[in-house]
């Protein structure tokens, strides 16, 4: 997360786009809420910055306790 924070500070973007496969279901521990908590962790630096962001889902983003539609 420190790398994300540093890049955001130095690049000063107007939008951040996550390009997919940010969270891999291969690491799922079987607990409900796992994917959501991982995504919150991945997006924390961007959320803290207040910048708008978007995510493009990759094939691994729908492999844990949430499906692609969720």
């Amino acid at each position: 997360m420190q790398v994300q924070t540093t890049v955001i500070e130095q690049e000063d973007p107007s939008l951040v786009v996550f390009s997919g496969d940010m969270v891999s279901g291969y690491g799922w521990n079987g607990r409900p809420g796992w994917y959501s908590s991982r995504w919150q962790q991945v997006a924390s630096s961007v959320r803290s910055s207040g910048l708008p962001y978007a995510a493009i889902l990759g094939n691994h983003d729908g492999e844990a306790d949430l499906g692609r539609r969720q």
Side-chain angles (χ1 to χ4, degrees), residues 36-55:
S36 179
S37 66
R38 295 291 68 79
W39 180 253
Q40 295 302 321
Q41 181 183 16
V42 166
S44 65
S45 295
V46 177
R47 286 187 165 174
S48 294
S49 74
L51 289 167
Y53 66 95

Side-chain angles (χ1 to χ4, degrees), residues 21-40:
D21 292 338
M22 298 302 298
V23 177
S24 174
Y26 292 129
W28 183 31
N29 61 12
R31 292 186 201 158
W34 179 86
Y35 183 92
S36 179
S37 66
R38 295 291 68 79
W39 180 253
Q40 295 302 321

